Amino acid sequence: MALPINIEDLLSKRKVESNRIEFKEGWNPDAIYRSICAFANDFDNAGGGYILIGVEEKDGIAVRPLKGVAVEQLDKIQRDIIGYNNLINPVYFPRISIEEIDNTHIVVIWIPSGLNRPYEVPERITSKNNKVYKHYIRYGTSSIEVPNEFRDELFGLASQVPFDDRISQKATISDISTALVRDYLVTVKSELTKTVEKQPLEQTLRQMGLIEGPPENWYIKNVALMMFCEYPERFFPYTQVDIVTFPKGKLKDPNTFIEKEPIKGPVHHIIKETMSYLRTHVIRRKITKLPNQPEAPRIYNYPYQALEEAVANALYHRDYLQREPIEIVIEPDRISILNYGGADRSIRMSEIKEGKNFFSRRYRNRRLGDFLKELELTEGRGTGIPTIQLELRNNGSAPAQFETDDERTFFMVSIPCHKEMVETINETINETINETIKLTKRQQELLHFIKKQGNATSDFLIKRFEISRTTLWRDLNILRELQLIKYTGSRKLGYWE
């Protein structure tokens, strides 16, 4: 079975944390199955892990070329795995892939977090009798027997499946776009790309660990809908980003603002489109040429990487049961990104206020994070906040500020504009406002009327203003291009709002 991840990324530990990857020089079932059990228990909700057999390591780094596994051993290892899986309690089946690389073969065992945890395995799975069952968890890069102080917490995980790993009772295979799945696999350079067009979509989704159940009644996991459904808002209302610009500041002049049409779609598309808008309309660069210095210093009002990490984190950690969008507010001196579904309670309030490194033991959407990391849209777990602060520091900007409430219902990050660029961004915003203000008297009257009414049909506006349909559409299209109004509904029965 091909993997939905690039094998080179696993070997280099580039997109998956090192504590989720184990290199094994040879086939050692006792040690390997203790690790399989630990990864399946996923005590830290990290998303399981990978074991690569036939890979020698030195100081945690794979030795290249790979040692590999002899061809005559491959069938035996696969038969052994099938038999040993039945000794896991409850039964658990990791996914196996034979990969050819460096002119040899290695066995990759992918162990997603189990839905029926906690799991236990014999301490020595190869023992013929007197098998002693134990529970194992990951501790750093090692698999250990669960300590007594963690035993109750491990058993409590039985009822705690992260939201994105749960199944949807409403979705069907037809809600998943084959094109989106293929584009993702091509982007991450997965071997599944070779088969995605040659086999049923459900087979590819099963190989990616995105569906559960029997073939006659597949259940789609929420993360599949977040990533590979063209309209995920049908299942998770208000999965969108709202962007509002207050040119004079939200408090100083709350009635003057520019509101962009909501950005919707698959999560990774929302992130990319949001960043495209911010790059085009918000991010500015200042170059200062100094005498006798060949390289001119450059500063940005907002470093791109800091904004991207904040936006990606907001979509990653969003509570998809909340009917609230991600809100981005742009003011002269800052950008605030508000996400409903606050930081996990395992993160202390003091850590949030300090704005340093947040370490969470529980992730609301762990699989979604894996997909975003594969697409290089976010950093590894626990590194998002340090990345934001580092990028701001390197740019000479003040640090970001973080805010939540005691109930953890929301999480907001405020990214300050570089102090030397506040005036520049004000000029840019004012140019946009001036363009908006340059409306004819009739266009202003149309805008005021639609705002007062709440909405209005084209036929009603034609009668109200006694103008032709051609004239009306010309004026309305100008207002629409300035994102002051939008058209909702069908061509015949729709209305302007």
Side-chain angles (χ1 to χ4, degrees), residues 129-336:
N129 45 41
N130 296 325
K131 288 181 168 59
V132 179
Y133 276 80
K134 294 184 178 181
H135 296 89
Y136 294 90
I137 62 172
R138 295 292 289 179
Y139 184 80
T141 57
S142 302
S143 299
I144 64 169
E145 182 182 354
V146 60
N148 289 332
E149 61 267 28
F150 292 152
R151 183 171 294 274
D152 290 342
E153 188 175 355
L154 174 62
F155 276 79
L157 294 177
S159 59
Q160 298 178 19
V161 177
F163 178 77
D164 64 342
D165 222 12
R166 299 176 194 170
I167 59 174
S168 171
Q169 299 290 344
K170 299 179 181 179
T172 64
I173 292 290
S174 62
D175 292 309
I176 303 299
S177 165
T178 303
L180 288 173
V181 174
R182 183 187 61 247
D183 289 347
Y184 169 81
L185 294 173
V186 169
T187 301
V188 303
K189 300 178 182 178
S190 167
E191 287 294 310
L192 278 175
T193 305
K194 300 176 181 178
T195 59
V196 67
E197 298 286 4
K198 301 177 183 178
Q199 63 185 15
L201 176 59
E202 51 263 38
Q203 176 68 10
T204 302
L205 295 177
R206 187 186 67 81
Q207 291 174 299
M208 297 175 71
L210 295 177
I211 57 176
E212 294 286 342
E216 68 276 9
N217 190 24
W218 291 118
Y219 288 105
I220 314 298
K221 289 190 175 183
N222 286 332
V223 69
L225 298 170
M226 295 174 185
M227 291 291 298
F228 306 120
C229 175
E230 292 183 352
Y231 306 101
E233 64 271 17
R234 289 167 46 202
F235 304 96
F236 320 114
Y238 291 92
T239 298
Q240 64 189 56
V241 168
D242 292 351
I243 302 178
V244 184
T245 300
F246 291 88
K248 297 181 181 179
K250 189 175 182 180
L251 295 179
K252 188 175 181 180
D253 187 0
N255 296 319
T256 302
F257 59 87
I258 304 171
E259 188 173 12
K260 187 192 182 315
E261 187 174 346
I263 299 173
K264 302 180 181 181
V267 170
H268 54 305
H269 286 197
I270 292 178
I271 295 172
K272 291 177 181 178
E273 188 175 339
T274 299
M275 292 311 303
S276 176
Y277 178 87
L278 295 177
R279 183 194 294 112
T280 303
H281 295 85
V282 177
I283 296 177
R284 296 290 182 268
R285 180 178 64 178
K286 180 179 181 181
I287 302 176
T288 304
K289 292 186 178 181
L290 301 177
N292 303 321
Q293 188 170 324
E295 190 169 331
R298 302 180 181 188
I299 60 172
Y300 294 83
N301 55 352
Y302 301 101
Y304 180 91
Q305 187 63 38
L307 287 180
E308 183 182 51
E309 191 66 30
V311 170
N313 278 345
L315 272 297
Y316 173 14
H317 297 296
R318 177 180 185 265
D319 184 350
Y320 285 84
L321 289 174
Q322 293 286 335
R323 292 173 174 262
E324 298 287 351
I326 305 293
E327 298 177 12
I328 299 180
V329 175
I330 303 170
E331 299 184 75
D333 62 342
R334 74 188 62 202
I335 293 179
S336 300

Side-chain angles (χ1 to χ4, degrees), residues 1-19:
M1 181 197 79
L3 297 169
I5 187 174
N6 183 269
I7 186 64
E8 287 291 350
D9 289 338
L10 284 178
L11 288 167
S12 63
K13 298 183 178 180
R14 191 162 46 231
K15 297 179 182 178
V16 179
E17 294 88 345
S18 59
N19 63 333

